[in-house]
Amino acid sequence: MTPNPSRLARCIMLAQGNHTVGVLLHSITYWAKYGKAEIPNTPGTWIANERTFWMQEACLSSDQYDRCIRSLHKWELIERRQWWFGGKNILFVRPSTITVNYLQSASTWEAAKELAPSLPATMHGSISKIAEPSSAFLPNSNEIGNCADPGTAKPLNSNNLIYSSIIDQHKTLTGEHPAAPTFAGKEKTKGSYGKSNKKQASGHQTGKKVPFPEESSMKPTVSELLAAWPQALSKHCGNHPTDQPGCPTLSPKEIGQLALFHKSLGSIPVSGGQLDLRGSAIDILDYAVRRWGEWTVGLWKAEKHEFPSAEFLHENLSAAISAWDNDGCPPRS
């Protein structure tokens, strides 16, 4: 299985491929968890280090550091303030809301590529004036300047990462999603996983080689899965917080867990190899939410979740697939 992207890789992607900017951003995000400096009348903590520290940490020259820190602020990837620390007036920095939320959301390569903020066409003129033409200008976010604590920031505002509005963009998902992948040379019928291949599809070893399913060309993207999750919650959990006006549909942590769920479905271990069940990702997700109270019986962690949890679903993927399989692999209701 392909490893998930490192923090450094995600920082470079946020910097649109500019490695020097990405390396400095990576250093700032790393040291943010140790930042204890405060600015009067400004909520949250900051990192207070002299420029020589950042130059050494990111292996940058003085000119490179000046360009990179200016670009990070201009592209809204960091917040910065000039203030006093240890008797010196130095630059205070911390990751912005965009950075914090993207690093939490982009848990897999697929998610990192789909959810990366894009370059607005209106900003091309600004890029040509900067020393790093390979980098990109990120969308504006109204949350950055008043961020009380980057760790609890609101969801990332991006042209590609959509929350409630993503549902409107994928209204075609309201119909029946394509059924689970078909086995080679055999027509897929309802309950085929639950009968002849029940144990194999559930991830249990049987000693009998399983025919690999045909690759489906209808595998949902991460964004489509993100749209299906709140739809399922709203449909099957009428009193879920997502039904409240003004409530963010998905948190960055939920997005990260759903991205991992999407990736894990691509390599379900069976005897003789692996199954790719991503073609049935939305069916499995919808089934897990609809039958949450039934398939989680016996899983003690379920008691901690009043409502379906993306994290719990991913951590108990095998149990969810087994329940869906034993019920005849039903499509989304």
Side-chain angles (χ1 to χ4, degrees):
M1 181 183 294
T2 306
N4 295 323
S6 65
R7 184 199 298 263
L8 175 59
R10 285 174 286 171
C11 286
I12 292 174
M13 292 179 74
L14 268 179
Q16 300 293 319
N18 188 305
H19 283 66
T20 53
V21 177
V23 168
L24 180 57
L25 179 61
H26 176 262
S27 297
I28 292 173
T29 60
Y30 172 79
W31 287 105
K33 58 186 176 182
Y34 303 108
K36 302 295 183 182
E38 296 182 353
I39 298 177
N41 303 318
T42 303
T45 58
W46 300 76
I47 318 166
N49 287 321
E50 295 184 355
R51 59 184 289 115
T52 52
F53 171 87
W54 295 117
M55 289 165 56
Q56 183 176 7
E57 179 72 11
C59 299
L60 301 175
S61 67
S62 179
D63 288 343
Q64 285 176 320
Y65 168 77
D66 288 339
R67 290 196 298 268
C68 289
I69 200 72
R70 186 166 56 247
S71 296
L72 286 173
H73 182 253
K74 191 177 184 69
W75 302 338
E76 301 184 358
L77 297 180
I78 64 168
E79 295 180 70
R80 67 177 185 178
R81 297 281 181 85
Q82 203 74 25
W83 194 249
W84 296 91
F85 188 82
K88 296 181 179 179
N89 192 323
I90 64 176
L91 186 67
F92 284 50
V93 297
R94 64 184 179 189
S96 72
T97 337
I98 288 178
T99 297
V100 171
N101 289 346
Y102 177 76
L103 293 179
Q104 283 189 295
S105 302
S107 57
T108 66
W109 282 109
E110 291 84 353
K113 294 172 183 176
E114 283 189 48
L115 309 182
S118 60
L119 174 64
T122 56
M123 307 310 288
H124 280 291
S126 300
I127 294 297
S128 62
K129 301 176 184 178
I130 309 175
E132 296 89 331
S134 64
S135 302
F137 204 107
L138 294 178
N140 291 327
S141 170
N142 294 329
E143 305 299 334
I144 295 178
N146 299 320
C147 174
D149 183 351
T152 59
K154 293 184 179 180
L156 163 62
N157 177 18
S158 160
N159 288 343
N160 289 339
L161 179 52
I162 312 298
Y163 291 85
S164 57
S165 60
I166 198 172
I167 299 175
D168 296 328
Q169 296 181 15
H170 296 284
K171 287 188 179 296
T172 55
L173 292 178
T174 57
E176 181 175 306
H177 195 72
T182 56
F183 284 100
K186 185 181 296 185
E187 183 179 356
K188 174 71 173 67
T189 59
K190 182 177 180 180
S192 64
Y193 279 124
K195 296 179 180 178
S196 61
N197 295 294
K198 179 185 301 182
K199 292 184 179 179
Q200 293 91 327
S202 302
H204 300 290
Q205 302 296 331
T206 64
K208 182 179 179 182
K209 188 172 182 180
V210 182
F212 287 102
E214 295 176 356
E215 288 293 328
S216 171
S217 60
M218 298 296 292
K219 297 171 186 175
T221 63
V222 173
S223 296
E224 289 173 330
L225 198 66
L226 297 182
W229 177 250
Q231 284 181 347
L233 293 177
S234 180
K235 180 167 54 176
H236 304 304
C237 307
N239 59 341
H240 192 271
T242 55
D243 292 334
Q244 304 302 318
C247 178
T249 305
L250 294 174
S251 70
K253 183 177 180 180
E254 283 182 300
I255 293 172
Q257 290 297 321
L258 288 171
L260 290 172
F261 169 81
H262 179 273
K263 177 183 177 181
S264 297
L265 282 173
S267 54
I268 302 300
V270 295
S271 178
Q274 296 179 331
L275 285 176
D276 186 346
L277 294 180
R278 285 175 295 178
S280 296
I282 295 179
D283 295 338
I284 296 171
L285 180 146
D286 184 81
Y287 177 88
V289 173
R290 176 162 47 95
R291 308 297 291 271
W292 183 265
E294 298 173 35
W295 75 266
T296 55
V297 171
L299 301 175
W300 65 271
K301 287 185 65 177
E303 299 175 1
K304 297 183 178 181
H305 302 283
E306 181 181 358
F307 296 105
S309 155
E311 180 180 10
F312 181 79
L313 175 61
H314 173 247
E315 290 178 352
N316 295 277
L317 178 61
S318 243
I321 293 176
S322 294
W324 174 73
D325 173 32
N326 290 333
D327 205 15
C329 308
R332 181 170 59 164
S333 62

